[in-house]
Amino acid sequence: MTNAQSILQRAACALVLGLLAACASERQAPPPAPSSPTTSVAQADVRLAAVAAERAAIEANFAAREAVCYDKFFVNNCLDEAKERRRSALAVQRAIEIEAEHFKRQFKVEERDRQMAEAEVRYREEEARAAAAPPAPPKTPTAVPPPRPSPVAKRMARHTAKVQQDAAREAADAPKRAANAAAYEERRRKSEEKQKEVAQRKADREAKRVKAEQEKAAGKPAQ
């Protein structure tokens, strides 16, 4: 091996090690774990708004890192790392969103049950007062009105009807949502395949360029 070849090999090794070190230095700390449980509707709304803003920032950061990756030697490794960081960050935001939305739904159910219980108590109290009142003086016999229906029963009937309507609407929309999800996944898969093809072609061109320079430095004609 000539001195020129030895020097060129050492330079190539140093270049590879430098690129690996640069990729490692750009790794950020893992995203924070989901926050403490939600304790109020106002706090849930604040967290949901923050999740929307954070998602936009994550997508913007991912797009910027993608552009940087295409200028690196190890394009695919850089892209895979950027996608994994995006996936992890979005998973954290999704966990926060699920917890906040669950709290709001649970709070709404509990508030409805409390109001219905209070209405039932008031109804029973009114019935008890009416039963304890002294009898009214006799009047001309009239038709006895039917007993008043409980307001809780009315509310429960309306709530049941609404739940059934929502369930029917969800079932009708399910095929459309599934088709949209499948179409989105297919577009995402094709986009990733295209990105990998572009990255591979760029890496191949770079490898040929480095090989040609090595052969030129060694005094061999380029192939």
Side-chain angles (χ1 to χ4, degrees):
M1 179 184 295
T2 65
N3 289 337
Q5 288 177 321
S6 177
I7 292 172
L8 192 57
Q9 284 186 350
R10 287 198 295 271
C13 290
L15 176 60
V16 171
L17 292 175
L19 290 172
L20 290 174
C23 289
S25 64
E26 290 179 358
R27 292 192 178 98
Q28 299 178 354
S35 55
S36 58
T38 303
T39 57
S40 70
V41 174
Q43 184 184 33
D45 289 337
V46 170
R47 288 183 172 178
L48 290 174
V51 165
E54 186 63 22
R55 276 183 176 149
I58 291 170
E59 295 296 348
N61 184 56
F62 173 70
R65 289 189 59 80
E66 266 193 321
V68 172
C69 285
Y70 288 118
D71 292 332
K72 295 184 178 294
F73 186 78
F74 297 100
V75 179
N76 290 337
N77 290 343
C78 184
L79 287 173
D80 290 342
E81 180 187 351
K83 291 174 183 176
E84 177 59 24
R85 291 169 60 183
R86 171 177 173 269
R87 185 198 65 79
S88 299
L90 289 177
V92 170
Q93 297 306 313
R94 179 56 179 158
I96 297 173
E97 180 181 50
I98 290 174
E99 192 276 336
E101 290 180 342
H102 174 75
F103 176 87
K104 292 185 69 174
R105 288 194 299 268
Q106 186 65 26
F107 180 86
K108 186 176 181 180
V109 170
E110 292 175 355
E111 182 65 14
R112 184 202 67 217
D113 292 344
R114 183 186 64 79
Q115 292 176 356
M116 293 173 63
E118 291 177 353
E120 181 69 12
V121 169
R122 289 193 299 268
Y123 172 76
R124 296 303 178 189
E125 290 176 349
E126 291 175 0
E127 291 294 312
R129 284 195 298 270
K139 295 181 180 180
T140 304
T142 57
V144 179
R148 291 184 304 163
S150 168
V152 174
K154 288 184 177 180
R155 291 190 181 185
M156 287 298 296
R158 288 197 298 267
H159 174 70
T160 301
K162 185 177 184 304
V163 169
Q164 291 174 348
Q165 291 174 357
D166 292 343
R169 188 161 48 250
E170 286 287 330
D173 293 343
K176 183 178 179 180
R177 291 197 302 272
N180 290 340
Y184 171 79
E185 183 63 24
E186 179 65 15
R187 290 195 302 271
R188 184 191 61 79
R189 183 185 64 79
K190 290 182 178 180
S191 176
E192 290 186 355
E193 289 179 354
K194 182 64 175 179
Q195 291 175 354
K196 288 183 178 181
E197 291 175 0
V198 172
Q200 187 61 47
R201 288 197 298 269
K202 188 170 183 178
D204 292 343
R205 288 197 300 269
E206 184 65 16
K208 289 180 180 179
R209 185 185 65 78
V210 171
K211 182 178 179 181
E213 291 180 355
Q214 291 177 345
E215 292 178 347
K216 183 177 180 180
K220 296 181 179 180
Q223 295 181 355

